Amino acid sequence: MSLTRRALLGASGLALAPNDWAAAPAAAQAERVIRYGISMADIPQTTGQPDRGAGAYQFTGHTIYDPLVAWEMDVADRPGKLVPGLATKWEADPADRRKWVFRLREGVRFHDGSAFDADAVVWNFEKVLNPQAPHFDNRQAAQVRPRLPSVASWRKLDAMTVEVTTKAVDSIFPYQMLWFLISSPAQYEKLGRSWERFASEPSGTGPFRLAKLTPRASAELVRNTGYWDPKRIPKADRIILVCAPDAVTRSNALLTGQVDFIETPAPDLVPRLRQSGARIIENVTPHVWNYHLSLLENSPWRDIRLRKAANLAIDRDGVVALMNGLAKPAVGVVDPSSPWFGNPGFRIRHDPAEARRLLAEAGFSPRNPLRTRFIVATGGSGQMLSMPMNEYVQQSWREVGIEVEFEPVELEVLYTCWRQGAAGELARNVTANNVAYVTSDPLYALIRFFHSKQIAPTGVNWSHYRDAEMDLLIDTAMQTFDPAEVDRLMAKVHEKAVDEALLVFVVHDTNPHAASNKVRGYTQAQHWFQDLTTLA
């Protein structure tokens, strides 16, 4: 490999310094304030459904808002599980398994003082799933609609009970509800029915309130002292989110005391951070950094030999070294420890000789390379060190006869391309996207990518993959209410996805953070959802 880690990190350059490195205002010095350098170029949407991917939920999702069904985020030594949120219980109707009944939590109030109830839940479904609703918000709908593929209809049963009907029997439907956050109808009315005004003065039921928003710079979150869950009362009085998309800038800000906590430190600066007294925090994370290949008629990746060659050409240990150990080689969508891994026949490994053989069989070589173009992110949460990693993989491919040109775009542009699919306007000149994927449950790890009914823009089967056997495996799993049988079927789905090399698998994220010695707490869950109430 001709490119070194240091050369690639240097090649990414330094972004301009964020506009809001300043310490907390003098009047607030008595507060317990934590300044958090985040890897995003802008503060995610604050209206109820964050943009900028799953990683954004920790910033303007589960801070300001709550879901009906929540994820256990206060444990680090094992995977979390579904727990009650704004719904205290949920169950599928035995007489019609498509109907799910959610019993809502009594006594919860929005930040504006209005009451949470079934009317608010119905209003929020209308907000993102009914384009004819007067308060429908396309920006929020674009984020959450692909996350709720099973929802067919919803209705209020009584003041504190809601029924949601799915399009078909779906035993794992509650996982979809993790992504559906509840904002205040009363605040929307109070602000003149303006989502633009609501973005600056949002109202949810969450553990934090938004005190100040400076687009593309910072957001200040203050503790909601009246939060309904005593276990999630924030330990900090105020958290200031500071946009710092460049890893080196972000890491240096921690070293110089401009921020107290960062995500994804620059790997080359990890030794210096440790020497300064900073803690490096990482954990098992259901998240894979990969390339999703187009399978449209004109795509070279319809040839399985090329898909396998692209996988075999990559030195994953080299990518981990580039990350200074803050990653793990990926040999599938999920880690081998997952109950859905199964026993794939195609072994993902670094085998450039076999990659060259497959390419030669398909008519390509280093002298006559396969030439194509991928869309990738310049950076952002979940993308790790996007450009250095892409450039490292690009060099691996070049050495075997795959010449990939990158189209680097801002993260939300990449997500828009992803939601449009390989046949969308933004993918017109590319044959793969580089969105890194959350793999925390069967829907997120497998179903949304490989079922034909999830083909974009309906879902996020970006590649337009269609296979009757795959559909049958998934449909059977979704109609099964025995968890062990669901796991067995999902393992078969994963085996098929790996054996057909439907993605190019690179590494699993360990979601590294760095904390100054000022920060005493923080529980890093084994998920992309994280709980900022644990920061102390």
Side-chain angles (χ1 to χ4, degrees):
M1 181 62 62
S2 62
L3 293 179
T4 66
R5 181 174 80 240
R6 186 170 298 277
L8 283 170
L9 289 170
S12 65
L14 286 177
L16 293 175
N19 297 323
D20 199 354
W21 290 128
Q29 288 298 314
E31 289 183 316
R32 291 171 294 182
V33 179
I34 293 175
R35 294 157 298 171
Y36 186 169
I38 70 174
S39 65
M40 296 182 174
D42 197 2
I43 299 298
Q45 279 181 186
T46 56
T47 45
Q49 296 298 157
D51 58 358
R52 299 178 180 274
Y57 273 67
Q58 67 186 298
F59 301 131
T60 58
H62 297 138
T63 47
I64 305 170
Y65 302 97
D66 290 305
L68 298 183
V69 179
W71 189 260
E72 190 179 30
M73 297 185 290
D74 59 351
V75 294
D77 59 350
R78 58 170 173 79
K81 59 181 184 291
L82 297 180
V83 294
L86 291 177
T88 57
K89 61 184 296 188
W90 53 89
E91 58 187 349
D93 184 343
D96 183 350
R97 293 288 199 176
R98 295 175 304 136
K99 297 184 183 299
W100 289 82
V101 177
F102 293 84
R103 310 291 179 184
L104 305 183
R105 189 175 298 276
E106 304 272 359
V108 176
R109 293 199 168 270
F110 290 101
H111 299 154
D112 59 82
S114 61
F116 163 75
D117 57 17
D119 288 327
V121 174
V122 169
W123 185 89
N124 274 271
F125 272 116
E126 298 277 325
K127 173 188 75 173
V128 295
L129 295 180
N130 180 10
Q132 280 70 53
H135 59 291
F136 177 77
D137 183 14
N138 193 55
R139 288 190 66 194
Q140 292 187 69
Q143 303 305 320
V144 78
R145 189 170 49 228
R147 304 184 192 276
L148 302 172
S150 292
V151 176
S153 63
W154 51 89
R155 67 184 180 119
K156 169 185 173 180
L157 296 184
D158 60 42
M160 299 305 290
T161 311
V162 171
E163 179 186 85
V164 179
T165 302
T166 56
K167 296 169 184 173
V169 175
D170 183 356
S171 62
I172 59 173
F173 170 66
Y175 285 103
Q176 295 181 30
M177 299 305 291
L178 292 169
W179 306 90
F180 176 61
L181 304 180
I182 307 296
S183 52
S184 168
Q187 182 75 345
Y188 177 76
E189 292 292 328
K190 176 184 173 182
L191 297 175
R193 302 182 178 181
S194 167
W195 285 116
E196 185 176 351
R197 291 183 63 191
F198 195 99
S200 297
E201 302 177 61
S203 176
T205 61
F208 290 93
R209 293 182 292 107
L210 180 68
K212 180 181 178 183
L213 174 65
T214 306
R216 304 195 75 82
S218 65
E220 296 190 23
L221 303 168
V222 296
R223 178 198 289 152
N224 175 15
T225 55
Y227 187 55
W228 57 266
D229 184 355
K231 294 192 302 181
R232 288 194 70 219
I233 296 291
K235 293 180 172 60
D237 296 306
R238 184 181 300 260
I239 294 178
I240 303 175
L241 305 174
V242 182
C243 294
D246 180 77
V248 175
T249 301
R250 202 162 55 243
S251 302
N252 281 329
L254 184 64
L255 285 166
T256 56
Q258 295 172 297
V259 296
D260 311 299
F261 192 72
I262 63 172
E263 58 174 346
T264 320
D268 272 10
L269 290 178
V270 166
R272 281 185 59 196
L273 288 166
R274 286 196 168 109
Q275 289 168 8
S276 75
R279 285 185 296 137
I280 305 299
I281 307 163
E282 53 183 326
N283 204 349
V284 176
T285 305
H287 189 255
V288 62
W289 198 92
N290 54 230
Y291 298 92
H292 202 154
L293 305 170
S294 169
L295 297 177
L296 293 176
E297 191 66 37
N298 61 348
S299 172
W301 306 112
R302 289 171 65 89
D303 188 330
I304 191 172
R305 296 171 298 184
L306 299 181
R307 301 198 301 269
K308 287 186 173 182
N311 272 285
L312 294 170
I314 298 171
D315 178 5
R316 291 165 184 79
D317 290 335
V319 177
V320 172
L322 172 69
M323 294 295 295
N324 216 347
L326 303 179
K328 180 180 181 182
V331 292
V333 182
V334 296
D335 188 79
S337 63
S338 168
W340 316 315
F341 187 82
N343 186 28
F346 176 48
R347 188 167 62 85
I348 306 296
R349 62 197 187 278
H350 183 214
D351 191 342
E354 178 63 6
R356 290 189 189 95
R357 187 192 69 78
L358 288 167
L359 281 160
E361 193 175 292
F364 299 102
S365 69
R367 290 187 176 183
N368 176 38
L370 165 65
R371 297 184 184 276
T372 190
R373 185 177 177 87
F374 290 2
I375 188 168
V376 303
T378 53
S381 184
Q383 297 305 116
M384 305 174 74
L385 291 182
S386 181
M387 292 313 299
M389 292 168 68
N390 273 299
E391 289 159 9
Y392 190 96
V393 173
Q394 181 186 48
Q395 180 65 25
S396 293
W397 283 331
R398 182 175 293 127
E399 291 173 1
V400 299
I402 302 173
E403 192 69 47
V404 174
E405 180 184 356
F406 292 130
E407 181 179 325
V409 297
E410 202 271 334
L411 181 60
E412 193 54 30
V413 176
L414 179 64
Y415 278 124
T416 301
C417 176
W418 177 56
R419 288 188 290 268
Q420 289 179 354
E425 181 182 355
L426 288 174
R428 186 176 300 168
N429 299 312
V430 301
T431 64
N433 79 62
N434 180 223
V435 172
Y437 290 149
V438 173
T439 60
S440 52
D441 60 74
L443 170 67
Y444 259 64
L446 301 165
I447 295 171
R448 62 181 179 153
F449 303 133
F450 306 128
H451 197 289
S452 64
K453 289 184 179 179
Q454 292 297 312
I455 288 174
T458 302
V460 287
N461 177 344
W462 189 85
S463 67
H464 286 234
Y465 174 74
R466 290 180 173 88
D467 184 273
E469 181 186 352
M470 184 72 91
D471 284 355
L472 180 60
L473 285 168
I474 291 172
D475 289 341
T476 305
M478 292 174 69
Q479 294 167 23
T480 301
F481 285 78
D482 175 1
E485 181 62 8
V486 171
D487 287 348
R488 188 189 72 80
L489 290 164
M490 284 297 109
K492 293 296 182 185
V493 168
H494 186 257
E495 287 174 6
K496 187 171 173 61
V498 174
D499 287 346
E500 296 183 21
L502 297 178
L503 306 176
V504 179
F505 312 101
V506 185
V507 291
H508 295 299
D509 202 344
T510 60
N511 197 11
H513 291 72
S516 76
N517 54 19
K518 171 184 173 182
V519 176
R520 303 298 182 189
Y522 185 60
T523 300
Q524 182 154 314
Q526 294 185 21
H527 201 280
W528 207 246
F529 290 163
Q530 299 298 327
D531 189 357
L532 300 195
T533 71
T534 66
L535 269 172

